Amino acid sequence: MSRLLFVWLCVAFLAACQSKPPTGTPTTAPTAVVAVATNTPRPAATTTDQPTATRTNTPPPTATPINAETPTPAPIETTSTATPTTTPTPLTREVYVNSDSGLNLRSEPRSTATLLRILATGARLTAIGAVMEPDANGIAWQNVQTTEGQLGWVAAQFLIETKPVTAAPTSTPPSISAVDTTPVVTPIATAGYVYVAALDGLNLRADKSASAQLLAMLANGQRLQTNGLGFGPDVNGITWLNVKTDHGLEGWVASSFVTAKVPSVATPAPAVNVAAAVAEILRRTNDLRRQHGISEVTLIDDLNRLALEHSQYMAQNGISHTGAGGLSAKQRISNAGYGAGRPTENIFGGQATIDDAWGYWVTDPPHLEVLLNAYNTVLGIGVYKTGFMLYYTMDFGKPVGP
């Protein structure tokens, strides 16, 4: 009994000790004490209670942060060494006409192209690009531009790069004020009649300038009426005279090529037809008509004489369908007895070849229509030459009657 009592007392004592902790002792034992008391192995360094940003041995990323202080290098621009693709601007140079009888300015680099104008001797031009290789006719063409901006083509062999020396005028120029050196229109000749004194013909221009519009090519010995007013000398050394033809065409000519003395050629000798040119024009005409299914025309002596007279008339009075006595082409052809068809004519003149005349006729619709008119059956051709000038007339018609 005593032993049982002793055990009970021991148990009670132990219970009392556990229920009454000492004063100042915390009610909850520290985590470290619990860990020792339970003999629980120490957990690994990484636990679920630690933050996930655990130091690792992974190297930092190599990408540069967006806000990095070091700027991203700009891309390097490479310079291309390839040849530029742009077309270089054609070279230009200043040239001058070097032909005593002027120089044809054509629309294209061929002798059959449209004749735009005749450039005066010494005229200043701008050559554009290089000279072309000689064509089948041996002509090397040069693209040029006039001082007025007109473009065209000329034969390069008649161009030089230095301004030609212009002969001094034969007449004494009017006195010029020491203050104002601008040429003015002043009397330089006696009013009345003067005559062309130029074997190759004389340019009649619309104004007192070598670059002015060419109105007509005046024949050697042609009579002109003048009021005596002149202008010059200009920058080219030319003194100009105001004149009017017998048909009322008014313009300006170089005064050094007219004279008050009636020349012996004022009344020209009877014209002589250029037979080879006539035959060639007839051949081309009939070839063209056959190609279009139109019957050929026959060359008639009566119309040949009529056409030749008109070519000679144009050499003296300028290129026009109006002939001697003020008659039109239709009137002249009808008066000759060939007005039954559609009487009409083609004309051409100047420092011109057959190719020049033919090229113009076949490319200009009204003149081509004349060549292909099926109502006409006969033809007269007149080719008149004076100096370097040639004048062409084609008179078409049909005999009156059966």
Side-chain angles (χ1 to χ4, degrees):
M1 184 70 179
S2 58
R3 181 176 292 188
L4 291 173
L5 179 62
F6 176 77
V7 171
W8 182 86
L9 290 173
C10 289
V11 171
F13 177 77
L14 292 173
C17 291
Q18 291 179 355
S19 59
K20 293 181 181 181
T23 305
T25 303
T27 58
T28 303
T31 302
V33 174
V34 173
V36 173
T38 60
N39 294 323
T40 303
R42 187 177 182 87
T46 302
T47 67
T48 57
D49 293 334
Q50 292 176 330
T52 57
T54 305
R55 177 186 299 274
T56 66
N57 292 327
T58 304
T62 58
T64 303
I66 295 176
N67 294 325
E69 293 295 330
T70 303
T72 303
I76 300 175
E77 295 182 1
T78 58
T79 303
S80 174
T81 57
T83 303
T85 57
T86 55
T87 303
T89 303
L91 298 177
T92 60
R93 62 191 185 282
E94 190 173 87
V95 294
Y96 298 87
V97 174
N98 186 34
S99 172
D100 292 338
S101 54
L103 182 59
N104 291 333
L105 178 68
R106 298 193 179 279
S107 60
E108 297 177 29
R110 53 188 176 86
S111 58
T112 57
T114 301
L115 178 64
L116 301 177
R117 61 188 288 188
I118 298 177
L119 302 170
T121 302
R124 179 168 59 87
L125 304 170
T126 299
I128 304 172
V131 178
M132 294 180 63
E133 291 294 327
D135 59 16
N137 296 319
I139 301 175
W141 295 94
Q142 172 68 62
N143 188 214
V144 298
Q145 184 176 30
T146 68
T147 54
E148 301 85 10
Q150 186 177 24
L151 293 170
W153 296 84
V154 298
Q157 50 263 50
F158 295 105
L159 298 175
I160 56 176
E161 295 189 359
T162 56
K163 186 175 181 179
V165 178
T166 305
T170 56
S171 58
T172 303
S175 58
I176 302 175
S177 169
V179 177
D180 184 5
T181 59
T182 303
V184 294
V185 177
T186 57
I188 64 169
T190 303
Y193 289 104
V194 293
Y195 300 86
V196 175
L199 294 177
D200 298 329
L202 178 61
N203 292 331
L204 177 67
R205 298 197 174 275
D207 203 357
K208 42 194 175 294
S209 168
S211 60
Q213 179 187 357
L214 179 64
L215 300 178
M217 179 64 69
L218 306 174
N220 185 38
Q222 182 171 339
R223 188 179 73 167
L224 304 169
Q225 185 177 357
T226 180
N227 52 17
L229 295 181
F231 175 90
D234 61 13
V235 293
N236 295 316
I238 302 174
T239 299
W240 297 90
L241 180 66
N242 185 235
V243 297
K244 182 187 295 185
T245 68
D246 288 342
H247 290 83
L249 187 61
E250 185 174 355
W252 295 81
V253 297
S255 63
S256 57
F257 293 101
V258 296
T259 176
K261 181 180 179 181
V262 180
S264 60
V265 295
T267 303
V272 177
N273 220 359
V274 182
V278 171
E280 176 62 15
I281 293 174
L282 177 64
R283 183 191 67 78
R284 294 188 186 191
T285 301
N286 282 331
D287 283 350
L288 181 67
R289 290 172 73 93
R290 282 195 302 270
Q291 291 170 12
H292 289 78
I294 301 172
S295 60
E296 299 181 9
V297 289
T298 303
L299 200 63
I300 300 295
D301 286 340
D302 289 345
L303 287 182
N304 278 349
R305 285 191 292 271
L306 187 71
L308 180 57
E309 289 173 359
H310 187 65
S311 291
Q312 184 183 19
Y313 180 83
M314 289 193 299
Q316 297 292 317
N317 300 279
I319 300 172
S320 172
H321 286 291
T322 302
L327 297 179
S328 66
K330 182 177 180 179
Q331 290 172 321
R332 287 183 277 109
I333 296 171
S334 297
N335 290 347
Y338 296 93
R342 298 285 176 83
T344 187
E345 73 181 4
N346 279 346
I347 57 175
F348 198 87
Q351 188 182 346
T353 64
I354 293 176
D355 287 342
D356 295 330
W358 186 258
Y360 176 69
W361 291 335
V362 297
T363 56
D364 184 63
H367 290 84
L368 179 60
E369 183 179 352
V370 171
L371 294 171
L372 298 176
N373 194 312
Y375 289 96
N376 296 321
T377 60
V378 294
L379 169 65
I381 303 173
V383 180
Y384 178 68
K385 185 177 187 299
T386 173
F388 290 104
M389 312 304 293
L390 281 154
Y391 297 88
Y392 304 85
T393 301
M394 297 181 71
D395 283 336
F396 290 85
K398 182 178 181 180
V400 176

